[in-house]
């Protein structure tokens, strides 16, 4: 028995050594942690239970039969984050560059299957050189098996991808189908074709960082949600995100202790809106003052900054927030902000996370670039997402709600449950000046008449009371009382049930 136990210990030690001291040192020299070190930081101490430690590849071509390290370049298993079950796989760049083989893929698929079966999130720590060339089509088949499980798990369990090194070619499509993507600055990148291929095909000269680095994907493409300075910060924020989410679509998000009075009166909100209707203000300030302890986990904070998305808690319960940001493009909706918010709304609806919408929107951004880019279709995505959402929906209009953008932003007509407005709200087809110039074109040469007409239009429509008279606004509330009113609204909606007509699936305008 002693000999067997020694053999087991020896095999475990070899497996845990990964690619050996030299490759581990090279990984550390790049400022990156090893696959196992990452898991240790992600999960609660001592909670990790590993699967398939001794799995080895089955390839024999190109001399592969002589090099069969245990684990085959990926560490898989389960553990807990703040005591709640999660499944995890962590690719090991020190073993064959973390490249995906047939058995490597099978290990990941086993984790995905178990997560679906048991109703728990999957977290993938990606650090891979791509498909293992020596295995040819077998490695490509492995990718497709992983992809299929990403599709099966979508909307059933949360899926989180943390890109902690290279992620190229077919490897990018698995993270792309997950719910959240985090990256690490200066050490992670994602692209379908690398810089060398780009240069060969299009004659463009571009670095890996410019082509698919964290800055590119968090600011320009919107592929990634957030970027962090190093592995440690990325894993810590992943733990924080998991704490906002339910384990599956059959559970509700966790309720956490809170020390912030739901009835808190925030006097500063009475003066948040500037006297000048064209002056900006920071909507993030309002979000922070509504949230328990001011805690706001913002997503895609550097992309489409004219809209805010993320999670807060009210009375210890997770709430998804979508809010126009007047500081950027006056809070207009455009292609990118519509896509960003639609994706977030659909995630929240899939996982029973109530939605709070804070509205200050002067309309959709005009221009040929927007029209040529398909703003009609992209704006319809957000409209569709709100219209199909059956979770509790509370909307607060703080200032402008003009035109079709008023409808899109969780209006009463899209089955908003509670639709509040501040006294400063302006709900109309368009701004007073634009409306008057259309209605009274014959008087444009008379500035005094136009000024009087504008004042008349403002008096009639630049307030929330016309909409309130029609029942489109449930209540005009005092800004300082917003947290109390919103908390009570969500509390009253905890037992909400709304059925939808049967269908195989919808046909959202993609």
């Amino acid at each position: 028995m002693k000999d067997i136990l020694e053999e087991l210990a020896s095999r475990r030690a070899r497996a845990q050594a990964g690619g050996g001291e030299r490759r581990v040192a090279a990984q550390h020299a790049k400022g990156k942690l090893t696959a196992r070190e990452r898991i240790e930081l992600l999960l609660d101490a001592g909670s990790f239970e590993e699967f398939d430690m001794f799995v080895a590849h089955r390839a024999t071509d190109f001399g592969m039969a002589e090099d069969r390290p245990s684990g085959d370049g990926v560490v898989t298993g389960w553990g807990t984050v703040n005591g709640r079950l999660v499944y995890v796989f962590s690719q090991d760049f020190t073993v064959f560059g973390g490249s995906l083989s047939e058995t490597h893929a099978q290990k990941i698929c086993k984790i995905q299957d178990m997560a679906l079966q048991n109703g728990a999130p999957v977290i993938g720590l990606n650090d891979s050189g791509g498909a293992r060339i020596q295995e040819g089509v077998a490695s490509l088949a492995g990718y497709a098996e992983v992809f299929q499980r990403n599709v099966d798990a979508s909307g059933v369990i949360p899926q989180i991808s943390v890109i902690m090194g290279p992620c190229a070619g077919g490897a990018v499509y698995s993270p792309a189908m997950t719910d959240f993507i985090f990256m690490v600055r200066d050490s992670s990148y994602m692209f379908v074709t690398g810089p060398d291929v780009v240069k060969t095909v299009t004659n463009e000269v571009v670095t890996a960082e410019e082509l698919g680095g964290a800055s590119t994907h968090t600011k320009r493409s919107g592929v990634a949600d957030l970027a962090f300075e190093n592995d440690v910060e990325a894993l810590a924020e992943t733990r924080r995100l998991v704490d906002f989410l339910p384990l599956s679509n059959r559970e509700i998000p966790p309720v956490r202790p809170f020390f912030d009075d739901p009835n808190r009166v925030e006097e500063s909100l009475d003066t948040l809106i500037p006297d000048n209707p064209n002056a900006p203000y920071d909507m993030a300030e309002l979000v922070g003052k509504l949230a328990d302890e001011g805690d706001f986990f913002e997503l895609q904070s550097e992309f489409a900054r004219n809209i805010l998305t993320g999670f807060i808690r009210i009375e210890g319960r997770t709430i998804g927030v979508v809010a126009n940001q007047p500081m950027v493009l006056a809070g207009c909706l455009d292609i990118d902000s519509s896509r960003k918010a639609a994706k977030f709304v659909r995630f929240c609806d899939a996982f029973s996370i109530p939605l709070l919408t804070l509205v200050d929107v002067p309309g959709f951004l005009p221009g040929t670039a927007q029209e040529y880019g398909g703003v009609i279709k992209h704006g319809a995505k957000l409209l569709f997402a709100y219209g199909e959402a059956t979770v509790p929906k509370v909307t607060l209009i703080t200032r402008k709600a003009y035109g079709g953008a008023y409808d899109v932003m969780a209006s009463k007509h899209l089955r908003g449950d509670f639709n509040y407005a501040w006294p400063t709200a302006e709900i109309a087809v368009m701004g007073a000046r634009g409306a008057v110039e259309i209605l009274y074109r014959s008087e444009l040469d008379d500035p005094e008449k136009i000024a009087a007409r504008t004042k008349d239009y403002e008096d009639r429509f630049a307030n929330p009371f016309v909409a309130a008279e029609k029942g489109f606004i449930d209540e005009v509330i005092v800004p300082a009382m917003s947290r109390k009113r919103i908390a009570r609204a969500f509390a009253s909606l905890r037992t909400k049930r709304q059925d939808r007509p049967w269908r195989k699936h919808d046909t959202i305008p993609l």
Side-chain angles (χ1 to χ4, degrees):
M1 185 66 177
K2 184 178 179 183
D3 291 342
I4 295 173
L5 292 176
E6 288 176 353
E7 173 69 10
L8 174 61
S10 175
R11 285 179 176 268
R12 282 184 181 277
R14 286 199 300 273
Q16 290 170 349
E21 290 183 11
R22 182 175 61 83
R23 290 195 178 99
V24 169
Q27 184 86 338
H28 287 161
K30 296 175 186 174
K32 297 163 64 178
L33 300 176
T34 66
R36 293 179 184 279
E37 288 169 343
R38 288 166 175 164
I39 289 175
E40 287 178 15
L41 282 176
L42 174 66
L43 301 180
D44 297 339
S47 71
F48 182 55
E49 296 286 344
E50 187 170 351
F51 287 133
D52 296 330
M53 178 185 283
F54 305 120
V55 163
H57 70 76
R58 295 187 286 266
T60 56
D61 295 326
F62 306 103
M64 292 293 288
E66 285 74 48
D67 190 6
R68 301 178 69 241
S70 295
D72 200 26
V74 64
V75 182
T76 61
W78 64 274
T80 59
V81 172
N82 290 326
R84 301 168 70 232
L85 176 66
V86 299
Y87 288 83
V88 62
F89 67 85
S90 180
Q91 292 178 314
D92 188 349
F93 196 79
T94 69
V95 178
F96 297 130
S99 59
L100 185 134
S101 68
E102 182 182 15
T103 49
H104 180 124
Q106 287 172 352
K107 289 182 65 174
I108 295 174
C109 289
K110 180 188 283 190
I111 290 300
Q112 292 175 303
D113 289 340
M114 294 192 73
L116 263 175
Q117 176 181 302
N118 294 297
V122 172
I123 303 173
L125 309 181
N126 295 265
D127 190 359
S128 169
R132 194 169 300 170
I133 297 172
Q134 297 92 328
E135 294 200 17
V137 72
S139 63
L140 299 181
Y143 272 128
E145 293 287 348
V146 174
F147 300 160
Q148 181 61 56
R149 285 162 175 80
N150 288 133
V151 174
D152 293 342
S154 181
V156 181
I157 54 174
Q159 300 179 84
I160 301 170
S161 297
V162 189
I163 314 301
M164 312 189 82
C167 187
V172 298
Y173 290 112
S174 177
M177 287 187 284
T178 60
D179 301 305
F180 304 98
I181 301 176
F182 292 165
M183 297 185 74
V184 180
R185 292 189 182 94
D186 301 323
S187 64
S188 69
Y189 51 84
M190 302 174 71
F191 40 64
V192 176
T193 53
D196 294 338
V197 176
V198 169
K199 183 178 180 181
T200 301
V201 176
T202 70
N203 218 26
E204 294 176 275
V205 178
V206 64
T207 66
E209 185 64 29
E210 291 168 338
L211 184 63
S215 180
T216 296
H217 287 313
T218 54
K219 294 179 181 178
R220 299 189 65 177
S221 73
V223 167
D225 291 278
L226 294 169
F228 303 101
E229 293 301 322
N230 52 54
D231 287 9
V232 175
E233 185 182 358
L235 295 167
E237 289 301 293
T238 302
R239 285 179 59 89
R240 185 174 164 224
L241 171 62
V242 170
D243 218 29
F244 280 98
L245 307 179
L247 295 181
S248 74
N249 63 354
R250 296 191 177 190
E251 298 193 23
I252 62 170
V255 180
R256 295 303 186 196
F258 63 97
F259 308 95
D260 196 345
D261 185 359
N263 297 321
R264 168 167 48 83
V265 176
E266 193 62 63
E267 301 286 356
S268 62
L269 294 182
D270 286 342
T271 55
L272 179 66
I273 305 298
D275 292 335
N276 180 352
N278 296 317
Y281 61 95
D282 190 359
M283 187 66 86
E285 181 180 343
L286 173 58
V287 176
K289 288 178 177 177
L290 295 176
D292 289 351
E293 286 87 34
D295 183 22
F296 177 35
F297 189 93
E298 187 176 355
L299 294 161
Q300 293 193 290
S301 55
E302 295 185 285
F303 176 71
R305 292 170 50 243
N306 44 321
I307 204 161
L308 305 175
T309 59
F311 299 112
I312 64 172
R313 291 189 182 89
I314 293 180
E315 294 192 90
R317 297 172 184 269
T318 300
I319 304 292
V321 175
V322 177
N324 304 114
Q325 174 55 288
M327 299 285 286
V328 181
L329 295 176
C332 275
L333 288 173
D334 61 359
I335 291 171
D336 288 343
S337 61
S338 297
R339 288 195 298 119
K340 169 182 171 178
K343 177 193 171 191
F344 181 75
V345 168
R346 283 171 66 83
F347 175 84
C348 289
D349 188 50
F351 290 98
S352 302
I353 297 173
L355 283 162
L356 171 62
T357 306
L358 305 175
V359 183
D360 186 349
V361 61
F364 280 88
L365 185 66
T368 55
Q370 289 292 307
E371 296 295 351
Y372 296 167
V375 68
I376 296 170
K377 278 276 191 180
H378 294 293
K381 291 175 183 176
L382 181 55
L383 170 64
F384 197 106
Y386 270 123
E388 73 170 348
T390 60
V391 293
K393 292 181 282 191
V394 176
T395 302
L396 172 62
I397 300 173
T398 60
R399 189 166 61 176
K400 295 174 183 174
Y402 289 166
Y406 153 71
D407 287 323
V408 169
M409 293 296 293
S411 61
K412 178 62 72 175
H413 326 289
L414 296 181
R415 306 293 186 267
D417 296 300
F418 284 75
N419 290 71
Y420 292 139
W422 284 356
T424 49
E426 305 171 19
I427 306 168
V429 175
M430 61 177 64
R433 181 73 184 187
V436 166
E437 288 177 356
I438 292 173
L439 294 170
Y440 303 102
R441 286 180 182 172
S442 61
E443 300 177 6
L444 290 178
D445 294 334
D446 190 334
E448 289 187 6
K449 277 190 176 181
I450 289 296
R453 299 286 194 190
T454 301
K455 177 69 167 61
D456 179 57
Y457 190 93
E458 287 174 346
D459 291 342
R460 293 170 67 182
F461 293 107
N463 62 69
F465 300 109
V466 173
E469 287 171 7
K470 296 181 182 298
F472 303 156
I473 295 297
D474 295 305
E475 183 72 84
V476 180
I477 65 173
V478 176
M481 302 297 290
S482 295
R483 174 172 159 86
K484 176 182 178 181
R485 300 301 296 269
I486 289 169
R488 286 175 60 87
F490 279 121
S492 75
L493 293 168
R494 285 175 194 160
T495 55
K496 177 185 176 182
R497 295 288 181 270
Q498 181 180 338
D499 295 326
R500 305 289 297 170
W502 184 91
R503 57 189 167 191
K504 185 177 180 182
H505 59 73
D506 58 55
T507 57
I508 185 172
L510 295 173

